[in-house]
Amino acid sequence: MAKFPRFLIITSGIGAVVGGSVILKDFIVGNGQKLPETVRADGKVCIVTGSNTGIGKETAMELARRGCKVYMACRDIEKCRKARAEIISDTLNQHVHCRKCDLADFESVRQFVTEFKTKESKLDILINNGGIMRCPRKLTKQGIEMQLGVNHMGHFLLTNLLLDTLTSSAPSRIVNVSSIAHTRGTINFEDLNSEKSYDPGAAYNQSKLANVLFTKELAERLQGTGVIVNAVHPGIVKTELGRHMGLENSIMASLFVKPLLSFFLKSPVQGALTSIYVALAPSLENKTGKYFSDCKEKDPSEQAMDPIVAKRLWATSEKWTRLYNSDSSSPSLVAAM
C-alpha cells in the first residue's frame, strides 16, 4: 500500500475540518436572502424599538436606506442619538428620529405613544425588536420580571396603544422579534412573574414564547382590518444581547470561546434580514399570524399554536399593563387567577 506524505495527510485533514466548519456555519447561520433593492418604502412611517444597537440598529438603517421615516424607540437616548447620526450619515435620509421609550416602564411607553401621535397621523410599520436576555432577576418599574416585562409586556402595551393609528394607516404591518428559544419555553401561569423560583434561561424562553402567542392572538383579532402581524426568529446573532451570559469577564472565554462562537454567529446585518423581509416583502401582504426564520415561513412550537394559552396570556397582559383602566391587580395576584 502506498504511503502518503505526512504533510498531505495533515493538509487534507485541515481542509476537511475547514470545509466541515463552513458547512456547519451555513447550517447554523442560515441563508436568509436580502430583499431586492427595488423594494422601496418611500414615505412609509415606521417605529423600531431597541434600535440604538445590534439587530434593531441595522433594521432601522435598512428601512431608512429604503426611504422610510424612522422613529427609533430606545431606552438610552444618548446611544440612540449616536446611532441616529450613523444612520443618517450612511443613508443620507434625514427623516430619522430618536424618541425615549423604556419598555420596562409603562409610563414611558404611554408617553412615547402620546408624543408620536402628536407628530404623526399614520404608522405603516411597527417592529417590536427591543429585548433583553438571561439577565439576573430584576423587576420593571411596575413590578414585573424584567425579561417578561420588556420582551413581552412592554411591547404588548405599545402595540395596543398604536393599533388605532396602524388600523387607520392600513395596509400596515407589525413585526414581533421572537427567537427559536420559544420552542423551549412554557407559559407558567402558576408563577408567571418568577416569584417562586427564577431561572434566567427559562424566563427568557417564556418571554419569547409569549411573543409568538401574542402574534397569533393579535392576528386573529385584527382579521379584516388590513393590519398584518408576524413573528420572526432573527437567528443566533452576535449582539450585546448576550452580555449577561458571563462571557465578557472570562479570560478563557475572551481568548477561545468568543472567537469560536463569533465564527458561527450571524452579524447584526444578517440578523436584520428577516425583520426587513417580513416588514416589506410584497408577497406577504396577506400573510398574518405566521412565524418566519431565514426569510421563510416556519412552524413554531406546539404550545405557540395553543389558542387557549394565547387568550389567557392576552387577558393577563391586559391586566398587568392596565391597558383599559388604571385599576389592576398586582402581577403575583393576577398570575394566580
Side-chain angles (χ1 to χ4, degrees):
M1 181 181 294
K3 294 185 178 180
F4 292 96
R6 179 174 297 180
F7 80 92
L8 287 179
I9 297 174
I10 294 174
T11 303
S12 298
I14 293 174
V17 170
V18 171
S21 297
V22 171
I23 294 172
L24 181 60
K25 179 180 181 180
D26 288 342
F27 175 77
I28 294 173
V29 170
N31 56 359
Q33 299 298 310
K34 185 175 182 180
L35 201 64
E37 297 293 342
T38 52
V39 178
R40 299 286 301 172
D42 298 289
K44 291 185 181 292
V45 177
C46 69
I47 294 172
V48 184
T49 66
S51 47
N52 63 279
T53 189
I55 299 170
K57 179 182 174 183
E58 296 302 333
T59 300
M61 179 86 75
E62 189 63 23
L63 289 171
R65 186 176 288 116
R66 293 173 186 264
C68 271
K69 178 187 283 190
V70 181
Y71 282 84
M72 303 172 68
C74 302
R75 178 184 62 83
D76 190 322
I77 202 67
E78 291 305 316
K79 288 184 178 180
C80 183
R81 287 174 180 149
K82 181 179 179 181
R84 171 183 178 270
E86 293 177 21
I87 291 172
I88 292 175
S89 176
D90 187 272
T91 66
L92 303 181
N93 183 343
Q94 297 293 324
H95 302 293
V96 180
H97 308 281
C98 284
R99 293 292 184 270
K100 173 81 172 181
C101 184
D102 184 353
L103 294 165
D105 181 0
F106 296 153
E107 295 173 10
S108 177
V109 173
R110 290 181 180 276
Q111 183 63 32
F112 168 84
V113 172
T114 298
E115 292 180 1
F116 174 81
K117 289 182 176 181
T118 63
K119 296 291 184 180
E120 300 291 342
S121 60
K122 72 168 187 169
L123 176 59
D124 301 285
I125 302 167
L126 170 62
I127 300 185
N128 291 319
N129 166 86
I132 55 175
M133 182 174 75
R134 292 176 173 267
C135 60
R137 190 174 190 275
K138 302 178 183 177
L139 301 179
T140 68
K141 186 175 180 181
Q142 284 73 31
I144 299 173
E145 186 275 313
M146 188 65 73
Q147 295 188 84
L148 183 67
V150 169
N151 297 350
H152 168 63
M153 294 293 178
H155 283 127
F156 176 90
L157 178 61
L158 176 68
T159 303
N160 275 281
L161 294 177
L162 290 167
L163 280 184
D164 55 348
T165 308
L166 284 158
T167 302
S168 65
S169 307
S172 53
R173 302 189 185 191
I174 302 167
V175 180
N176 293 325
V177 179
S178 180
S179 168
I180 196 172
H182 87 272
T183 61
R184 301 187 295 273
T186 300
I187 304 299
N188 183 8
F189 287 109
E190 301 306 313
D191 189 25
L192 190 60
N193 208 39
S194 301
E195 295 177 325
K196 298 177 183 178
S197 64
Y198 179 71
D199 176 82
Y204 178 72
N205 299 343
Q206 175 179 251
S207 72
K208 294 289 100 179
L209 174 58
N211 293 153
V212 185
L213 288 164
F214 172 47
T215 299
K216 293 287 184 181
E217 179 65 17
L218 183 59
E220 182 177 320
R221 291 169 180 250
L222 290 175
Q223 287 289 344
T225 66
V227 183
I228 65 172
V229 52
N230 291 295
V232 305
H233 166 52
I236 312 302
V237 184
K238 184 181 179 182
T239 70
E240 295 180 4
L241 194 62
R243 60 186 175 274
H244 296 295
M245 296 180 68
L247 296 180
E248 296 300 323
N249 299 320
S250 168
I251 296 177
M252 185 66 71
S254 297
L255 291 176
F256 300 105
V257 179
K258 289 175 66 177
L260 181 61
L261 285 176
S262 294
F263 178 77
F264 291 105
L265 299 182
K266 286 185 177 182
S267 69
V269 171
Q270 292 171 317
L273 291 178
T274 303
S275 293
I276 296 296
Y277 174 78
V278 173
L280 296 178
S283 61
L284 301 184
E285 59 184 11
N286 295 316
K287 285 274 189 180
T288 191
K290 307 300 182 182
Y291 173 78
F292 290 82
S293 176
D294 289 327
C295 301
K296 297 181 181 68
E297 184 180 338
K298 302 289 179 67
D299 291 328
S301 70
E302 184 175 342
Q303 187 170 179
M305 303 289 289
D306 190 326
I308 296 176
V309 174
K311 292 183 189 307
R312 185 177 179 185
L313 177 64
W314 184 285
T316 302
S317 301
E318 281 186 349
K319 293 175 181 178
W320 285 22
T321 60
R322 303 182 181 183
L323 182 59
Y324 297 119
N325 58 68
S326 58
D327 181 22
S328 176
S329 302
S330 69
S332 57
L333 291 177
V334 176
M337 293 179 63

